[in-house]
Amino acid sequence: HDTVAFNSAISACEKSFEWFQALQLSTLMTQSRVDSDAVTFNATLIACERSGRWGEALQLLSVMTKSKVERNTITFNTAISTFEKACKWAKAFDLLGAIARSKAESDTVTCNAAMSACEKG
């Protein structure tokens, strides 16, 4: 139940554009030995996306991989959208390759965000 409590707090941060606090809570989870899951990472990614923090989003994707938490469609869509908004088309394009190698499925949001990123690049 600790994971659910942390995820709720991170989601509250995400909704109020408090990206830094969301990242701090995510770090505190690790320090407290509370398991992070896809919900944890996705909520933190959304907080970064809404605040234009593409570098932090990129770091979160790396931590997610190291933590062996499976990336899902929401993960990829949020990350691609983050890079699209930051005009980082190459990073968005790299994620298209990653989604193809994962168990996640791309959808209309994935494709639209990737196309928009390429238009801006």
Side-chain angles (χ1 to χ4, degrees):
H1 72 36
D2 288 340
T3 300
V4 174
F6 270 102
N7 287 349
S8 295
I10 291 169
S11 290
C13 291
E14 166 250 310
K15 287 172 180 44
S16 59
F17 299 87
E18 299 291 343
W19 67 271
F20 187 73
Q21 286 78 4
L23 284 172
Q24 285 188 318
L25 284 169
S26 182
T27 300
L28 182 59
M29 282 181 80
T30 302
Q31 292 170 346
S32 302
R33 300 182 191 267
V34 175
D35 290 333
S36 298
D37 58 14
V39 174
T40 308
F41 284 100
N42 290 342
T44 310
L45 278 168
I46 292 168
C48 291
E49 184 239 352
R50 289 183 172 174
S51 301
R53 308 303 300 192
W54 70 269
E56 287 80 358
L58 188 61
Q59 289 175 350
L60 274 171
L61 291 172
S62 177
V63 171
M64 194 172 189
T65 300
K66 289 176 186 170
S67 300
K68 297 185 169 105
V69 175
E70 194 169 315
R71 298 173 181 182
N72 59 31
T73 303
I74 295 168
T75 308
F76 284 106
N77 288 352
T78 303
I80 290 170
S81 178
T82 302
F83 299 138
E84 175 260 326
K85 290 176 181 174
C87 298
K88 301 292 180 187
W89 67 269
K91 302 241 181 266
F93 192 75
D94 287 345
L95 285 179
L96 286 178
I99 200 170
R101 293 184 301 274
S102 76
K103 293 179 183 176
E105 294 184 23
S106 58
D107 61 13
T108 304
V109 174
T110 314
C111 297
N112 287 342
M115 285 189 296
S116 182
C118 291
E119 284 177 353
K120 290 180 179 179

